[in-house]
Amino acid sequence: MAAAAVAALAITSCSAGATHAGPNGPSVASLIKSMKAGFASATSVRMSGSLTTGSQHVALDLGMLRNGDESGTLSVSATHLTLVIVGGQAYEYVSKDFFKTIQQASHVPASACATICGKYISVSAGPFSSFNLPGMTHQIESKMPVVTSVSHISSTTYEGQPAYELSGEGVRLYLAKNGTHYLLGMVAPTKFGTLNFSQWNAVSPISAPPTSKIVNIG
């Protein structure tokens, strides 16, 4: 799902060329190069937003570390979960609503809620591999061209931060205006939705839930 969103970042246009933010504005190539470098060197980031892929609606708000650890919330269609991933192991918080999903998938009895509701279950982190910082970095590096043809570059603000807006073909990228041009947002309502990136290099360390809060339903 994240791969589909990043693939849409390859903004192309039939325009003969992009307009700069000003007489001495940065080129598309320099902005994209700086953005990629920001992804490659970042120790952490928070990614949030809302995506649509096929018939599925995905909402997420995840703090991500370079080592692959992450925590936050993830919703796919009607399934909502609180997620913690540490050291390659994923832990899903079992709310009463999420317990209903587990019941349907694993056929556990309703009485099991007394044991596992309010705790975390340990699961494989594999299904979440595209929603972590190393995975997003790889997608950005492999799917975002070094030089992208866009129809317009302008100075603006995004989520209160000075930014450059790169737009074309129904996709808008927002890159930090000052210093490293970190990706702040990508918006394409008719293609995939909106993703926001914040707290670059400022996400707190992530710990696994206490052992007393982890149960095994295998």
Side-chain angles (χ1 to χ4, degrees), residues 63-72 83-92 120-126 128 132 204-210 214:
M64 304 173 170
L65 304 185
R66 171 59 60 188
N67 64 4
D69 293 353
E70 59 187 296
S71 68
L83 177 69
V84 178
I85 297 178
V86 175
Q89 186 63 53
Y91 306 91
E92 297 175 348
Y120 290 81
I121 55 174
S122 179
V123 300
S124 170
F128 309 105
N132 59 30
S204 299
I206 297 167
S207 300
I214 301 173

Side-chain angles (χ1 to χ4, degrees), residues 75-116:
S75 300
V76 180
S77 297
T79 301
H80 311 281
L81 63 91
T82 297
L83 177 69
V84 178
I85 297 178
V86 175
Q89 186 63 53
Y91 306 91
E92 297 175 348
Y93 180 75
V94 183
S95 64
K96 290 185 177 180
D97 284 340
F98 187 54
F99 178 75
K100 296 176 183 178
T101 300
I102 296 174
Q103 273 189 293
Q104 295 175 356
S106 303
H107 307 291
V108 297
S111 59
C113 184
T115 301
I116 67 175

Side-chain angles (χ1 to χ4, degrees), residues 150-218:
V150 301
S151 59
H152 188 69
I153 305 175
S154 62
S155 294
T156 185
T157 59
Y158 188 79
E159 298 293 320
Q161 296 187 57
Y164 287 114
E165 177 186 309
L166 284 65
S167 60
E169 294 285 321
V171 182
R172 300 191 303 276
L173 291 183
Y174 295 89
L175 309 182
K177 188 172 185 179
N178 303 316
T180 300
H181 300 298
Y182 288 113
L183 180 62
L184 302 180
M186 42 190 187
V187 181
T190 63
K191 293 180 180 291
F192 61 83
T194 299
L195 280 177
N196 301 311
F197 297 83
S198 61
Q199 296 181 16
W200 285 100
N201 305 310
V203 176
S204 299
I206 297 167
S207 300
T211 303
S212 61
K213 290 289 186 178
I214 301 173
V215 294
N216 190 335
I217 63 172

